[in-house]
C-alpha cells in the first residue's frame, strides 16, 4: 500500500511558493535585462552596437541562474556573489557605447577598442560567478532541508550557525 501524505504535508511544503518565486524572478530578470540592454528592439532603449547571438544566450542564462538562486534561497545564503555575477553579466551584455559611466571612464574610441572585445569574457565570468552562487545556494538549501548543521560556506568556512 502506498503512503499517502496528508493535507498538512502540502501546507508545510513550500515548494510551490519557491518555484513560483524563482519563475517570477527569472521571467522578470529576463524581460528587464533584455529590454534595458536592448537585446531585442524596443521603444525604450536603442542599441548603438549590433546584438550578437551570444548576448541573447547570456541573457537567458543570467535570468535562469537568477531564478534558480531565488527559488532555493534560504536565510543563510549570501546573495552578494549572485549580484556580483549578475552585474558582470549585465555589463557584458549591455551595449558598450550606451553605458554612460563606461563612456565617461574610458571614452568612446578606447571603449570600443579595449572594452568591447572583452564583453563576452565579462559576461562569461559573470555567469560563472552566478553558477557558483547557485551551487552554493543549492548546497545550503539541501543542508537546511536535511537538518545538516555543518554546511561548508565559501572558502571552506564552517557554517555551523545554519538552523
Amino acid at each position: 500500500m502506498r503512503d499517502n501524505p496528508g493535507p498538512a504535508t502540502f501546507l508545510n511544503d513550500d515548494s510551490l511558493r519557491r518555484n513560483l518565486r524563482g519563475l517570477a524572478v527569472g521571467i522578470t530578470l529576463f524581460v528587464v535585462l533584455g529590454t534595458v540592454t536592448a537585446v531585442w528592439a524596443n521603444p525604450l532603449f536603442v542599441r548603438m552596437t549590433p546584438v550578437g547571438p551570444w548576448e541573447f544566450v547570456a541573457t537567458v542564462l543570467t535570468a535562469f541562474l537568477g531564478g534558480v538562486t531565488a527559488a532555493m534561497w534560504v536565510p543563510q545564503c549570501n546573495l552578494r556573489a549572485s549580484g556580483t555575477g549578475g552585474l558582470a553579466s549585465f555589463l557584458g551584455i549591455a551595449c558598450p557605447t550606451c553605458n554612460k559611466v563606461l563612456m565617461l571612464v574610458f571614452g568612446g574610441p578606447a571603449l570600443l577598442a579595449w572594452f568591447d572585445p572583452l564583453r563576452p569574457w565579462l559576461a562569461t565570468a559573470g555567469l560563472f560567478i552566478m553558477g557558483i552562487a547557485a551551487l552554493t545556494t543549492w548546497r545550503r538549501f539541501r543542508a537546511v532541508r536535511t537538518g545538516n548543521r555543518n554546511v561548508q560556506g565559501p572558502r571552506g568556512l564552517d557554517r555551523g550557525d545554519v538552523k
Side-chain angles (χ1 to χ4, degrees):
M1 182 175 213
R2 202 167 152 191
D3 188 23
N4 198 3
T9 304
F10 292 114
L11 292 176
N12 292 333
D13 187 21
D14 63 345
S15 298
L16 178 63
R17 182 177 54 84
R18 286 181 175 280
N19 289 335
L20 289 175
R21 178 177 61 202
L23 186 64
V25 167
I27 290 172
T28 303
L29 192 57
F30 177 74
V31 169
V32 170
L33 184 63
T35 302
V36 169
T37 59
V39 171
W40 47 76
N42 65 71
L44 301 174
F45 298 97
V46 177
R47 191 175 177 106
M48 304 292 183
T49 59
V51 178
W54 65 268
E55 290 164 323
F56 183 76
V57 172
T59 304
V60 169
L61 291 175
T62 300
F64 174 75
L65 289 171
V68 166
T69 302
M72 292 185 296
W73 184 82
V74 290
Q76 293 76 20
C77 289
N78 185 353
L79 295 179
R80 196 173 312 147
S82 186
T84 302
L87 179 64
S89 183
F90 168 76
L91 289 174
I93 296 168
C95 171
T97 58
C98 302
N99 190 327
K100 306 295 186 257
V101 175
L102 291 177
M103 188 65 86
L104 283 172
V105 171
F106 292 108
L111 189 61
L112 288 174
W114 295 98
F115 183 73
D116 194 38
L118 297 176
R119 287 185 323 111
W121 299 104
L122 184 61
T124 302
L127 289 171
F128 182 73
I129 292 169
M130 286 185 77
I132 290 173
L135 181 63
T136 303
T137 302
W138 175 68
R139 286 181 179 165
R140 289 184 181 161
F141 175 76
R142 282 188 48 213
V144 167
R145 290 297 168 123
T146 60
N148 184 4
R149 296 201 182 271
N150 294 322
V151 180
Q152 292 294 319
R155 292 181 234 113
L157 299 175
D158 183 25
R159 291 287 308 227
D161 59 338
V162 175
K163 297 193 173 35

